[in-house]
Amino acid sequence: MPRLLISCGEASGDLYGAELVRHLRERVAGLDVLGLGGDRLQAQGASLFAHVRDLAVVGLLEVVSHLRGLRAVFRRVLDEADRRRPDAAVLVDYPDFNLRLARELHRRGIPVIYYVSPQLWAWRRGRIHELYRDAGVPVTFVGHPLVSLVHPAADPLAFRRDLGLDPDRPAIALLPGSRPKEVAHNLPPIAASVDALRAARPDLQFVAAVAASLDPSVVRRGLRDRPVTVVHDRTHAVLSAATAAIVASGTATVEAALLGAPMVVVYRLSPWTYRLGRRFVRVPYYAMVNLIGGRRIVPELIQSDFTAERVRAEMLPLIDDTPARRQMQSDLAAVREKLGGPGASGRAADAVAPFLNGKNIDTSLLP
């Protein structure tokens, strides 16, 4: 029986990993899948050693407090790899954990495929394909899996009505992050931004999109009695129905770009984590949309810049049909083009399947 070890430590990785496994099952008969992931990967028949809700940790100092648990999970994965001997391992993003895991699996002679490139460019200058070429690592570009996975609401105005919102009034989507620590840091200034925006524009409506990996009651408590509709596990529908969005930096910014939602990108970490981490960052932007576009397409309000007043100032020009809104929508369309066409998960499965079927494997580097 062909066996695949997969390691996903975050909600986005669980999504990408589940789609990869779905396509692999069409190519590899009797595939057995085991490893780390979330509800989506489990729904694809994977046997999980740990769940992403217990693995997703944000920040250097926050990781320290979880080291004992993470080490136990790490050892469990290696013990199971020794016992069950997978034919290959697919490690999805989550570099602090997965790069160490890759080294140990390589020592055991297990082929390792890294899906979603680690963000090497964030701390080392140079074009990504040059970094891999110089290291002698075979690499192929399959495109971004979200291109096929992001779908708008069938009828955005009807979706608003179903939520009890007025389809004729502007609606602002609130995306505080997909991990509990992200929400803990980002939700208070987002809530204050709701107050500031309501004072400037009483006609605004607000919808908080809660990630599938989170308990929506946490977001409801954080928003207190503010008039915000909370929606669980319907992020794409919310973004497609929104006039604009306040989005925590991360995968959600790519989802918003794919749906053409004008946005203000925000993020806040613990002060010590930010001070320690910023010295290693070697890129001019934090938001994926800006990194993909190679310039400032959406405003970034990070750490001390993330205040209610700054959010209000950046958001107000994006609500009505203004030149700023039209320019951002045009720039987001250009970002969508750079992400490649649909079918990334299928192409990734084509690359992984030979390792599981025992066929010849093309390890040539792309130019």
Side-chain angles (χ1 to χ4, degrees), residues 61-358:
L61 297 180
E62 290 84 350
V63 168
V64 172
S65 65
H66 289 76
L67 273 180
R68 180 177 295 181
L70 291 171
R71 283 173 177 162
V73 171
F74 190 84
R75 175 47 54 188
R76 172 77 189 281
V77 174
L78 293 179
D79 288 345
E80 290 294 332
D82 291 336
R83 185 173 71 88
R84 301 174 69 173
R85 297 302 302 177
D87 297 288
V90 170
L91 314 183
V92 186
D93 204 1
Y94 200 49
D96 292 337
F97 185 98
N98 277 339
L99 288 175
R100 291 171 174 80
L101 181 60
R103 180 170 57 243
E104 293 298 326
L105 294 173
H106 182 71
R107 287 173 179 168
R108 288 161 166 77
I110 297 170
V112 174
I113 303 101
Y114 211 107
Y115 187 35
V116 182
S117 172
Q119 294 179 2
L120 303 174
W121 38 263
W123 58 83
R124 179 178 170 188
R125 292 181 178 88
R127 296 182 64 177
I128 190 68
H129 72 273
E130 293 171 355
L131 296 176
Y132 283 123
R133 183 195 61 201
D134 294 345
V137 177
V139 61
T140 186
F141 176 71
V142 297
H144 202 299
L146 280 178
V147 173
S148 297
L149 298 175
V150 170
H151 302 292
D155 185 336
L157 293 182
F159 181 73
R160 282 202 202 181
R161 284 192 290 268
D162 290 343
L163 295 179
L165 302 177
D166 184 345
D168 296 323
R169 289 165 51 201
I172 307 301
L174 312 175
L175 280 70
S178 62
R179 291 170 277 197
K181 278 290 185 182
E182 285 182 321
V183 173
H185 288 304
N186 291 325
L187 192 56
I190 286 178
S193 300
V194 169
D195 295 338
L197 285 166
R198 287 183 65 216
R201 289 283 302 262
D203 59 327
L204 293 180
Q205 306 169 100
F206 297 89
V207 184
V210 181
S213 56
L214 294 174
D215 180 353
S217 67
V218 174
V219 174
R220 290 192 182 95
R221 285 196 299 271
L223 291 168
R224 298 185 179 177
D225 58 352
R226 293 175 176 86
V228 178
T229 301
V230 176
V231 181
H232 187 227
D233 196 20
R234 298 293 304 278
T235 297
H236 299 163
V238 169
L239 284 170
S240 68
T243 308
I246 302 170
V247 185
S249 183
T251 303
T253 65
V254 180
E255 294 173 308
L258 288 168
L259 292 163
M263 74 189 93
V264 176
V265 175
V266 299
Y267 208 76
R268 189 176 283 182
L269 290 160
S270 71
W272 277 107
T273 293
Y274 180 72
R275 292 191 190 105
L276 288 170
R278 68 181 299 184
R279 68 184 62 183
F280 299 106
V281 175
R282 297 290 184 269
V283 291
Y285 308 110
Y286 290 90
M288 290 185 186
V289 170
N290 291 339
L291 288 166
I292 294 167
R295 58 191 176 88
R296 184 189 184 276
I297 292 172
V298 300
E300 300 180 358
L301 302 179
I302 308 300
Q303 210 63 11
S304 60
D305 289 333
F306 180 15
T307 65
E309 293 73 23
R310 291 291 304 278
V311 172
R312 177 181 60 191
E314 297 287 358
M315 176 58 70
L316 289 176
L318 302 177
I319 295 171
D320 298 315
D321 186 21
T322 62
R325 177 181 174 85
R326 291 193 294 272
Q327 182 63 54
M328 186 179 292
Q329 288 175 320
S330 175
D331 292 341
L332 292 176
V335 167
R336 292 198 297 274
E337 290 296 318
K338 287 191 173 185
L339 292 174
S345 297
R347 289 188 289 273
D350 288 338
V352 174
F355 289 88
L356 303 168
N357 284 326

